[in-house]
Amino acid sequence: MRFAKSGDGDFIQRMIHHKFHGFVHSTFNRTLNIQCLDSGDLYTIACKGIDNAPNTLIIDLDRFEEADIVVNDIVSSDHSILTIANKMSITMDGAMEWNCVLPIYPAETDVLEMNVSTMKQYINLHGNNSRIERAFKSDNPFDDEMSKMLNERTQLLVLELQNKRMSTAITHATSLIGLGPGLTPAGDDFLVGLFTVFNIENNRYFSHKSFCEEVVLHAKALTNDISYMALAKAAIGQVRESISELMEALFRGSEEELLLALGRVLAIGSTSGTDIALGIVAGLEMNM
């Protein structure tokens, strides 16, 4: 029996009060995704050390390799216990519930403006090879063209948003979905960061946050299931704990607090964290 350490509050409550029927969608060293047969939504079971996130449960395990869990294994729940085939059972007893709550945009922006400047400098020095802001040519013409497209399309999107031309902004945002290599493409990651800012209460674009959900309406057919769920959740202000902590540090934190929080976001995936951070910077600069 494995124990859930913490997790998305709605996910835990669903496991406790309702039956879950689904199957294993995809497996990785430290996470596995399960798909609900009722809703089609993806849920994630993650190992120790991974931060809380929407639809995610953190369990007392270091890696999944020895569990021999494979795609299409049957997943079900009963009486607070989630069972994956006959290979693993996870109890919700004692699990700490986490819910994403984004901070409110500050009335005074002196700290924010200084922190955004610091964040941009740090990303330039320590960001993980983002194709959105790649300033060099590689030996791979395809990669170079992809970087050029990502750069141009993100700039066009920001320009339309700055001018509050929301219908054309939706078109440019949609053109980013699925663009770039990796499990979560760079264009999707940038939008996750941008959507986060749109859902911050009291920011200039909060009244236009429906933009995010309108973009997601086009996303299902344009990207993979895992990335789609991240976009759909971000569109309603539901993001990883490390991202919400970064927003808090940007608004009110010291430089040390900012860099600690930023480092945790940049560590997401191979380049995903950097691309998410660039989306956050773009959204905040539009406000400033």
Side-chain angles (χ1 to χ4, degrees):
M1 178 70 71
R2 290 291 174 183
F3 288 86
K5 295 167 67 66
S6 64
D8 176 82
D10 289 340
F11 187 9
I12 291 174
Q13 287 301 312
R14 177 172 189 151
M15 295 300 103
I16 293 172
H17 297 294
H18 304 280
K19 290 184 182 295
F20 182 95
H21 301 284
F23 60 92
V24 174
H25 172 277
S26 46
T27 64
F28 304 93
N29 287 341
R30 304 195 65 222
T31 59
L32 62 87
N33 296 301
I34 58 178
Q35 189 158 22
C36 176
L37 286 172
D38 296 326
S39 66
D41 287 352
L42 288 189
Y43 292 83
T44 300
I45 312 298
C47 292
K48 291 184 291 188
I50 294 176
D51 57 321
N52 286 302
N55 284 21
T56 297
L57 196 67
I58 312 296
I59 66 170
D60 64 337
L61 186 69
D62 292 318
R63 294 186 173 276
F64 283 109
E65 289 137 319
E66 295 181 7
D68 193 34
I69 294 170
V70 296
V71 172
N72 291 327
D73 275 350
I74 298 300
V75 181
S76 60
S77 72
D78 192 23
H79 295 100
S80 302
I81 294 176
L82 181 70
T83 302
I84 304 172
N86 59 350
K87 302 172 182 178
M88 184 178 291
S89 294
I90 304 165
T91 177
M92 306 298 138
D93 290 345
M96 183 176 68
E97 292 189 23
W98 168 85
N99 294 288
C100 178
V101 179
L102 291 171
I104 295 174
Y105 198 86
E108 300 294 329
T109 60
D110 291 353
V111 171
L112 172 59
E113 290 173 14
M114 184 169 60
N115 280 341
V116 168
S117 177
T118 300
M119 180 170 168
K120 288 176 68 177
Q121 292 174 39
Y122 191 88
I123 292 171
N124 285 336
L125 290 171
H126 303 286
N128 295 327
N129 193 25
S130 167
R131 285 170 173 79
I132 292 172
E133 287 205 335
R134 183 180 284 177
F136 60 88
K137 285 201 173 289
S138 69
D139 295 329
N140 186 327
F142 177 81
D143 259 15
D144 292 339
E145 184 60 28
M146 180 69 69
S147 297
K148 181 182 175 184
M149 290 170 64
L150 283 161
N151 185 278
E152 289 175 351
R153 293 182 188 187
T154 52
Q155 288 188 23
L156 284 169
L157 169 59
V158 168
L159 180 64
E160 295 306 289
L161 288 172
Q162 285 173 329
N163 289 290
K164 302 287 178 71
R165 294 192 287 258
M166 305 311 289
S167 60
T168 48
I170 290 168
T171 301
H172 288 306
T174 302
S175 76
L176 283 168
I177 297 171
L179 190 61
L183 187 61
T184 54
D188 298 16
D189 291 325
F190 179 88
L191 290 174
V192 166
L194 187 67
F195 289 175
T196 302
V197 178
F198 266 75
N199 280 276
I200 299 284
E201 194 174 338
N202 286 351
N203 89 85
R204 287 177 59 194
Y205 289 85
F206 188 70
S207 62
H208 296 282
K209 66 177 183 174
S210 61
F211 156 81
C212 307
E213 292 183 74
E214 290 182 53
V215 173
V216 169
L217 290 175
H218 303 279
K220 187 74 170 174
L222 298 174
T223 192
N224 63 72
D225 293 340
I226 296 169
S227 197
Y228 170 78
M229 281 306 300
L231 283 167
K233 289 293 182 180
I236 55 172
Q238 295 292 305
V239 293
R240 293 173 69 141
E241 187 173 23
S242 54
I243 298 174
S244 62
E245 288 176 345
L246 173 58
M247 300 311 302
E248 179 63 43
L250 277 162
F251 293 162
R252 298 169 185 89
S254 65
E255 180 175 328
E256 182 182 8
E257 290 168 331
L258 168 68
L259 295 181
L260 280 171
L262 177 57
R264 287 192 288 271
V265 171
L266 295 183
I268 297 171
S270 55
T271 61
S272 288
T274 300
D275 295 325
I276 291 168
L278 290 171
I280 290 171
V281 167
L284 290 174
E285 287 190 327
M286 289 190 313
N287 274 276
M288 297 188 299

